[in-house]
Every structure is written in structure tokens, then in C-alpha cells.
Amino acid sequence: MIQKIETYTFPRGIHPREGKEFSEKQSIEILPVPAELRLPLSQHIGAPAKLCVAMNDTLEYGQRVAEAGGFVSAPVYASLPGKVKRINFVTMPNGRRVESVVLTVNPDGFDTQTLFDRMLHLKEYKLADFSPEEILKKISNAGLVGQGGAAFPTHVKFTRNAEKPVDTLLLNGCECEPYLTADHRLMLEMPDTVVAGARFAAKAVGAKKVKICIEANKPDALEKMAEAVERWEKSKEADEAEIEVARMKTKYPQGGEKQLIYAALGRKVPLGKLPMDVGAAVMNVGTSVSTAMAVLYDQPLTHRVVTVTGAGIARPSNLFVPIGTPISVLIEHCGGLQNAQRVLMGGPMMGFAVGSLEIPVTKGTSGITILTKEEVSKAKETHCIRCGRCVSACPMHLIPNRLMFSARAKNWDVFKEHYPLACIECGCCAFSCPAKIPIVQLIRVGKMELARQKNAK
Amino acid sequence: MGNFEVTSSPHLSRDHRSTSLMMFQVVLALFPTIIMSVAVFHAYAVFQLAICVLTCCASEWIFETFHKKYWTLSDNSAIVTGLILGLSLPWNAPWYVAVTASIVGIGIGKTAYGGLGYNIFNPAMVGRAFAMISFATVMGGAAYQYHGDELSGIVTQATPMTMYKSEIKVDVETTGVTSLDLLKKGFVSVHNGSLGEASGIAILLGGIYLICRKNGGWRTTLGMLATVFIMGMLTSPNENALYFGLFYLTNGAVLFGAFFIATDPVTNPITPMGRWYFGIGVGFLTMIFRLFSGYPEGVMFAVLLMNALTPLLNQVTIPKPFGYQKA
């Protein structure tokens, strides 16, 4: 049942063009098996995975390519059967050079459809049959990372800490990033799998309550998820966490971890602390689906749903894609580019613009957005008139224009006084700036400089 | 393939919400006030405003060419400065007063600092202050009065603030005028004063429009109005405190100042707390000038003084971020 109380939200933020209309009506489609895969060993936050295959090795589907390089790390699996062609470095969208395994795909006997159908129709299971430790182990083995974008290893989030018990698991179905619809489609097409994943995750972390948070601009998803929760209520097991659906206000960045926790629970995550510190855990709905698959089928994270969207693509789609597929394959499948100006890994607010289409889809790639000249801002930068729009937009209650000025002037003392490390780089400031100043971009430069200074010491 | 723009996110922005649009909205918001001033002061208002706007735009063009600065005439900010300056002048100030004030306001008040966005003081008020000191006789309280029948009766009266300074104060203390009468007089009906002070309702209309377009510093406005009202009540010579609060609030340049002068974003603090302090400071200083100085009105000097404090206010009011905890 959807909670009847007022729509939840957080203070400040912005209302960008939603852009969901391109792909929200497109059912998830299976991408035909590509000829080659590139599997970066670092697709997550934390230590890179350690390579455990060699040149010319023949790999089966789901065979481990690299092992977790530490506790905060995740293993990488072969998303398709094939042969190791090369082991080299590829440039990731964020500019980092990462060791990767290039796989020549040998699709004989591999059927993506079976994999997909399994997600649609889960086998019968009893939650009581799985212990929290077992669930956590399966999540960790499957190489699960947050699929909303940040790619933080999932098992780390769900490891219980006796001093910081988690009482509520928030399932993040906000998808506040404009244009992207992958999570929306997952909630529409496999709501029961989303609920199953949430049940397992809640059990692993010991949460008493699960809130499925969905923005109000997805009424169909709200409805489908509410129906799934009703079905769950009929087969509810003893001592299980309560599940409910919560309607969130459509506002960017509603799906930001700190904003979501505040909106749904009224708790503020202290600066530099984790959701766990306020008794919450947040999981993306895509990760929830993968959790269900990992627990029930021991299936590693090899595929994910990627939205290919924007006015610059002929046929916007939501694709079920093997991780490691070069984005050129996805674009070609969607009818190719038209008047493309920028190709983004992710959405228009936080996505990375890429210069090459040979970059692979990773565990954290929720979408590929292709913007045309018309959609991209082309206004010239003018002087800051201190209107304060950035201040009223900043969800972290910072003074973006002072950060921007001090970063530009390389006045690091003033920069530090304005809490740069609290910045979540959501881009609300630059979006709302009437003078078109690249505010968040300059703050990023400043933060990098601070990190460099810290490392030099 | 290839040849895509590689830039840092975000990739969307509000192109239509530009600085020039914000300035245009201010011009729109000033329209009710302009219409009322033309209704009361006829051709005098038209001439005064035209001189100010044209001289401001011309000065901006000349000074920027001189400084080899980038072109800012198209952002409408010179028009805003011209209109606000014109509306803050007496209707009968000679043409050279308006011209001098415009040139000084734009030249010294704005472009000398580096143009729009870098000026410390409100350009219109810099120009007006210069004119006020240079041409004291034609800018003082007496200058507002006109003896003749060419204009309506309103301009033959002294301005409310001048009247209060001289004789009315005694009247007010002794006769039983109600607060409602006063509110009507100061707010609903038109009265003498600078061009922009003719009608309180017109100012309010434009001011509220700006705030609704998220284009006004409502904290500054509210802080200033509340301070003037409260100080007016506190300094009341008799028990009729509400009366004096309303008098100070609705007469003179306070309304125009609170909605259009003190809220100039460039010379305002950018922090939310800073804007409160700024508005309260302007209100406080205005009342100090009104009560203790030789001038009948004090909004201009109050704004200029608070402008000087803006960098300091920015520094001491840095807000704590979301989720901040004391170490």
C-alpha cells in the first residue's frame, strides 16, 4: 500500500527538464550478444580487483575474471563465454586508466533470454531458508556494487555493525537523474524481483523496515510496486521486515543518498559519515534485482539494464546488456547517432561526457545519454551578480558562488572555510546559474587540488 | 565517430534564465511605479526617467569601450540602474542633476569596479549620493514642493517626511488621527516625494512580482521593513505606537528602497543569514538618519553604508552545511 501521507522531500534542489519521455515507454530489450567485451577490473569504489585469468584462457559464462582486492572491493566475472584476447589498460569515463580484460565472445549455447526470464519469474523460495551471513556471502561473491552510479560494493553496506544497527532499508527508486529510465522499467517489469531483493537485503543488514522510495513522476511504478508489496503481504514470513512504498516529490537530487534519507526518515547523515551512522541503508532498485538473483541463483553481476536515450539517438531504448559491452554496440543497436553533440555515461546532471565510444558499460552505468546541440547549454558565461540562485538550489546548504570564486582565484584558505568536502557535486548550482558560470566544475577542480595538497604532505 | 564535446557535468542548464532576463523582470516590476509617477508628475517624470536611462546606457557604453571590457549593455542592467536612479530623484531636479548622477553612478559606481557583478556599492545610490551632496539645494526636502497649478495638488504639499520633520509632528501628537487613516494616506493614496514614491501599492505590486519570480531578496526586504516598523513603534512619542510604525513604514523611500534598492543582488550578501542582517541594518540606519540627522530621509545612505559591510557579512554568516555536526 502506498503511504497516504504527504509526499516526502528535502529542502532546496532543482527541477530540471525530466526528459523521461524518450525512453520511459520502451520495454527492456535484450541486446544481441556483442563480439567483444572489455572488463575493467575497477568498476567500483575501493581497491581494484585482482586479475585471476591469463591470455588465451577460455572462459565460461560467469567465470571469475578477477577477485576482490580487499574488503571494500568486488570481484569481476565473465559476462559472456569467450576467450581472453588481451589484457590492457582502458580509459574510464572519469579519466582513470584501468586494467581490463578484453574478451572475444564465443556465444555458442549462451542464451540471454533464459537469464532474463529468470529475473521476471523467480523460483519459489522461503526467506527463512537463508541466514543473514549466507545472504551477505552470496552478495559479496556475486560482485554486487551499487548500480545507481556510485558503484559502492554492496556487501560492505550490508555488513552488520553492532555499534551502528540499521533499522531501515531504503530502496532507492527515485531515479531523479533526468532522462534515465532503467530503474523505472525494472520496477514496472519485475516488481516482485525488486521486493525479493529488498527482503534479502533487509535480512542481511537486520533492518526492521523497508521503504521503497519512488518519485511522484512515476505513478505507474508506484502502483506496480504497491501491488507487489500487497502480494508479498500474503506470503509474509514471521520476523520479517515490514515493507512499504513511499511517494517522493519529483525533485533533483531526490535520489542523492543524504537527501533521500532526510526526506524519507527525517534523519541527517553527519558530514563525513555513512547512512549506517543514522541507522539507515540505501540500495538502488537495480541492485535489489541483482541481489535477488545472487541469492536465489548464485548468479554473479554480469548483466544490467542501461537506458540509451536523448534526442541524439535514433531509437531511445532500455537495454539488458552484458557488462563490458562497448557503448558503440548499444548506440548502433539503437539506430545510431543523430546530431550528437555530447555522449554521456550516465544522465545529463551527473554523467561523464566521453570522447570515445569504445568505453565499456560497467556495473555502475545506468544510462548513456546522447545530447544534441539544442539540448546542450550554449549561452556565454557572464559575471556573477550574486543573485543567490546557487545558494537556494544547493541541497547541502553551501554557498557555491564563494567556493567557485575562491577556487578560481586559487585562494585555498577561503575555499576551505566554505566546507568544500560537503559538496556532493550534484550540479544544482551550475544548472541554476543565470550567468552560466561552471560553478560545480570549478568546485571539483578545487576539491582535486585539496586532495593533491593532502597527498603531498 | 568521435569528435564529441568532452566537458564536466552538469550538461543541462537554464539557458532562458539569464542575467538579462532577470534584469528585464526588474524593469517589468518597476512598471506600476513608473505609471503612477507619470500619473502624478506628468511630463516631469517622463523626462527625468528618459534622461537617466539614456545617460546610464550611454555611460556604460562609453566607459566599457574605454576599459576594453566585454559588452554588458545587452544585459539590461544599465536600464535598471537608470530607472531606479530616476525614480529616486525629485520630479523637478534639473536635467544636469540626472545626467551627473547617471554618469557618476555608472562610471564610478559600476564600471570602475569592473562592471556588473564587481561593484561594491549600489550604482544608482552612488550617483544619487553624489548629486545630493553636489546639488544640495535642488535635491533637499524643499525641492520637492512646487508652487503653481500646472500639476495636481499633491506636489504643492511638502513630502510626508519633510512635513513630519517640521510641523506635522506636533499635529500628529496632539490630534487623534487613526492608524487606518495613516495607512490610507501613506499607502493607498498618492503623495509627494521622489518619482518612485508616489504610490505604495504600485511598489508592492512590482515587488511581490519579483519575489514570486524568485528574483528578489525577500529576506532583505522583510528585514528592512520589519526593522523600520518596529523602530517606528519604539520611538513613538505617545502611546499610539502602531500609528508611528505605519507612518515610517509607508512613507518616504522605505517601500521603494526595501523592494528595489536594498535588494540589488550584486551589493547584497549572498548568504541567507547575511541578507537578514543586511535588511535589518538598512532599516536600522534609515531610522537613525530619519530620527537624528538633518536629512528627512535616510534610505540612500543606509544602503550605501550597509553595502560597505557586505563582504564582512558574507564572511561571518557562512552557513553550516546540511548534516554539520560540532566536532
Side-chain angles (χ1 to χ4, degrees):
Chain A
M1 194 183 72
I2 303 174
Q3 283 204 333
K4 289 284 185 285
I5 38 179
E6 199 181 340
T7 314
Y8 297 91
T9 191
F10 65 97
R12 313 199 185 180
I14 53 166
H15 299 277
R17 176 191 171 189
E18 289 173 26
K20 307 279 192 190
E21 69 278 5
F22 289 112
S23 57
E24 68 184 342
K25 299 271 180 276
Q26 309 300 318
S27 301
I28 300 172
E29 197 183 322
I30 294 168
L31 181 79
V33 169
E36 199 177 274
L37 291 181
R38 275 152 230 204
L39 298 164
L41 302 190
S42 182
Q43 306 181 23
H44 50 262
I45 291 178
K50 282 194 298 252
L51 190 69
C52 58
V53 294
M55 284 280 283
N56 297 322
D57 278 6
T58 304
L59 305 179
E60 287 172 34
Y61 166 77
Q63 189 177 333
R64 197 172 279 201
V65 168
E67 286 166 26
F71 178 61
V72 185
S73 184
V76 176
Y77 292 89
S79 318
L80 291 169
K83 196 172 163 192
V84 178
K85 183 183 170 191
R86 244 190 345 264
I87 295 167
N88 64 356
F89 281 82
V90 297
T91 308
M92 301 297 281
N94 59 10
R96 261 172 59 199
R97 303 266 301 157
V98 170
E99 193 175 19
S100 305
V101 173
V102 181
L103 209 65
T104 307
V105 175
N106 175 14
D108 286 352
F110 184 78
D111 183 16
T112 319
Q113 189 68 49
T114 324
L115 207 64
F116 189 69
D117 288 346
R118 212 156 68 171
M119 292 165 75
L120 287 178
H121 311 288
L122 289 182
K123 67 180 180 190
E124 292 284 321
Y125 68 93
K126 271 190 97 68
L127 189 63
D129 294 345
F130 300 90
S131 72
E133 295 73 27
E134 194 184 351
I135 296 170
L136 203 61
K137 190 143 190 283
K138 283 172 182 267
I139 289 175
S140 161
N141 273 339
L144 252 57
V145 304
Q147 288 170 38
F152 189 76
T154 306
H155 68 275
V156 181
K157 269 191 209 177
F158 293 151
T159 301
R160 291 194 193 192
N161 180 335
E163 282 162 34
K164 295 167 184 171
V166 168
D167 56 60
T168 310
L169 170 71
L170 297 178
L171 213 53
N172 191 350
C174 291
E175 205 162 46
C176 64
E177 180 75 39
Y179 289 66
L180 303 188
T181 57
D183 291 348
H184 186 180
R185 290 313 306 184
L186 279 175
M187 290 188 284
L188 287 184
E189 296 180 34
M190 42 190 89
D192 295 307
T193 315
V194 174
V195 170
R199 293 175 77 189
F200 291 127
K203 184 154 188 186
V205 76
K208 300 274 167 286
K209 200 169 183 184
V210 177
K211 257 191 184 180
I212 305 175
C213 306
I214 304 168
E215 276 191 351
N217 65 349
K218 294 180 265 291
D220 48 351
L222 275 159
E223 201 176 299
K224 285 272 188 221
M225 289 311 302
E227 285 167 19
V229 170
E230 265 169 38
R231 283 193 290 276
W232 156 80
E233 270 169 348
K234 282 176 199 144
S235 60
K236 196 168 141 189
E237 293 175 30
D239 291 335
E240 195 183 341
E242 287 297 324
I243 306 179
E244 64 187 28
V245 175
R247 184 191 287 108
M248 316 299 289
K249 189 174 175 185
T250 306
K251 183 160 83 167
Y252 179 86
Q254 187 67 264
E257 199 168 64
K258 292 177 180 201
Q259 282 66 39
L260 185 67
I261 292 171
Y262 181 75
L265 302 173
R267 300 177 195 168
K268 288 184 182 176
V269 180
L271 290 181
K273 296 286 172 76
L274 295 168
M276 184 191 286
D277 290 280
V278 293
V282 180
M283 175 167 74
N284 169 269
V285 292
T287 319
S288 186
V289 169
S290 305
T291 301
M293 302 315 287
V295 175
L296 290 175
Y297 301 98
D298 289 305
Q299 188 194 310
L301 178 54
T302 58
H303 286 67
R304 66 158 298 150
V305 178
V306 177
T307 304
V308 185
T309 185
I313 190 88
R315 207 168 51 77
S317 311
N318 298 293
L319 302 176
F320 187 63
V321 181
I323 284 156
T325 311
I327 60 171
S328 57
V329 177
L330 278 68
I331 288 168
E332 216 163 291
H333 180 77
C334 295
L337 301 172
Q338 47 189 21
N339 308 318
Q341 181 85 356
R342 285 186 204 169
V343 177
L344 315 175
M345 294 292 272
M349 286 307 293
M350 287 194 78
F352 290 94
V354 296
S356 151
L357 300 184
E358 296 315 302
I359 286 178
V361 166
T362 65
K363 293 174 182 177
T365 309
S366 41
I368 295 160
T369 310
I370 296 111
L371 298 178
T372 59
K373 212 170 183 169
E374 287 67 40
E375 290 166 286
V376 171
S377 168
K378 50 206 163 285
K380 233 179 91 186
E381 184 186 329
T382 56
H383 288 172
C384 171
I385 57 162
R386 293 158 180 80
C387 61
R389 288 235 159 117
C390 53
V391 178
S392 16
C394 180
M396 294 307 290
H397 303 193
L398 304 174
I399 306 295
N401 100 311
R402 301 267 295 161
L403 282 163
M404 175 276 290
F405 271 120
S406 50
R408 199 166 244 183
K410 302 196 187 333
N411 191 345
W412 304 119
D413 290 335
V414 175
F415 187 71
K416 279 184 226 165
E417 276 173 19
H418 288 81
Y419 307 98
L421 299 182
C423 173
I424 58 169
E425 304 181 16
C426 61
C428 289
C429 48
F431 174 83
S432 54
C433 181
K436 314 299 161 211
I437 300 169
I439 305 176
V440 70
Q441 293 89 330
L442 284 158
I443 298 175
R444 267 186 212 126
V445 171
K447 284 168 80 176
M448 277 189 251
E449 173 63 23
L450 286 197
R452 195 192 62 77
Q453 286 176 5
K454 205 175 164 192
N455 290 338
K457 265 178 202 163
Chain B
M1 291 282 180
N3 203 22
F4 306 113
E5 269 178 5
V6 179
T7 57
S8 189
S9 64
H11 305 280
L12 294 180
S13 97
R14 289 208 163 128
D15 272 1
H16 61 285
R17 272 210 193 161
S18 58
T19 304
S20 54
L21 178 79
M22 288 179 72
M23 294 296 172
F24 181 70
Q25 286 173 347
V26 179
V27 174
L28 270 186
L30 283 168
F31 251 90
T33 304
I34 294 171
I35 290 167
M36 285 312 291
S37 79
V38 172
V40 174
F41 303 103
H42 307 297
Y44 291 99
V46 177
F47 278 125
Q48 202 73 290
L49 292 175
I51 291 172
C52 286
V53 170
L54 287 176
T55 321
C56 279
C57 290
S59 315
E60 176 131 327
W61 183 73
I62 291 165
F63 281 111
E64 283 188 347
T65 314
F66 197 61
H67 285 285
K68 296 193 173 66
K69 282 276 170 187
Y70 82 115
W71 189 251
T72 57
L73 205 52
S74 58
D75 66 21
N76 301 328
S77 64
I79 299 174
V80 170
T81 304
L83 285 176
I84 288 177
L85 176 63
L87 288 169
S88 70
L89 292 177
W91 59 273
N92 59 349
W95 65 270
Y96 54 84
V97 172
V99 168
T100 315
S102 301
I103 294 173
V104 170
I106 294 290
I108 296 175
K110 190 172 163 193
T111 49
Y113 285 101
L116 180 71
Y118 291 103
N119 48 304
I120 295 171
F121 298 102
N122 185 322
M125 290 303 104
V126 169
R128 190 179 187 275
F130 185 87
M132 180 107 176
I133 293 162
S134 311
F135 311 104
T137 47
V138 291
M139 288 285 290
Y144 288 86
Q145 281 177 71
Y146 174 81
H147 303 285
D149 48 16
E150 192 186 329
L151 290 172
S152 59
I154 291 154
V155 291
T156 60
Q157 302 164 7
T159 66
M161 295 318 294
T162 311
M163 282 201 279
Y164 185 74
K165 276 260 161 187
S166 51
E167 70 265 25
I168 292 231
K169 188 167 181 179
V170 189
D171 258 19
V172 157
E173 280 163 19
T174 48
T175 57
V177 189
T178 65
S179 315
L180 191 70
D181 289 340
L182 197 83
L183 193 65
K184 251 192 216 156
K185 202 170 167 205
F187 193 63
V188 182
S189 63
V190 290
H191 52 81
N192 198 3
S194 297
L195 293 180
E197 296 165 14
S199 161
I201 284 193
I203 294 167
L204 208 62
L205 213 68
I208 287 171
Y209 161 77
L210 274 192
I211 288 170
C212 291
R213 309 274 0 169
K214 297 197 170 124
N215 193 348
W218 61 271
R219 291 179 178 89
T220 307
T221 305
L222 206 64
M224 178 175 166
L225 293 179
T227 309
V228 168
F229 181 65
I230 291 166
M231 279 185 75
M233 282 180 46
L234 289 180
T235 57
S236 157
N238 58 23
E239 71 283 356
N240 206 351
L242 185 64
Y243 175 101
F244 284 91
L246 285 174
F247 177 83
Y248 281 113
L249 188 68
T250 54
N251 283 294
V254 162
L255 281 177
F256 188 67
F259 283 102
F260 292 104
I261 301 175
T263 52
D264 166 34
V266 176
T267 56
N268 247 254
I270 194 162
T271 62
M273 247 354 250
R275 287 194 170 172
W276 278 117
Y277 291 145
F278 184 88
I280 292 168
V282 172
F284 177 78
L285 290 173
T286 300
M287 288 304 287
I288 294 293
F289 280 113
R290 282 176 164 189
L291 293 167
F292 303 113
S293 84
Y295 293 107
E297 184 53 287
V299 173
M300 172 184 73
F301 287 123
V303 167
L304 288 173
L305 280 169
M306 288 309 293
N307 283 166
L309 287 183
T310 292
L312 183 70
L313 285 175
N314 272 335
Q315 199 57 40
V316 299
T317 56
I318 300 170
K320 298 285 176 259
F322 184 80
Y324 176 83
Q325 274 190 331
K326 256 200 188 133

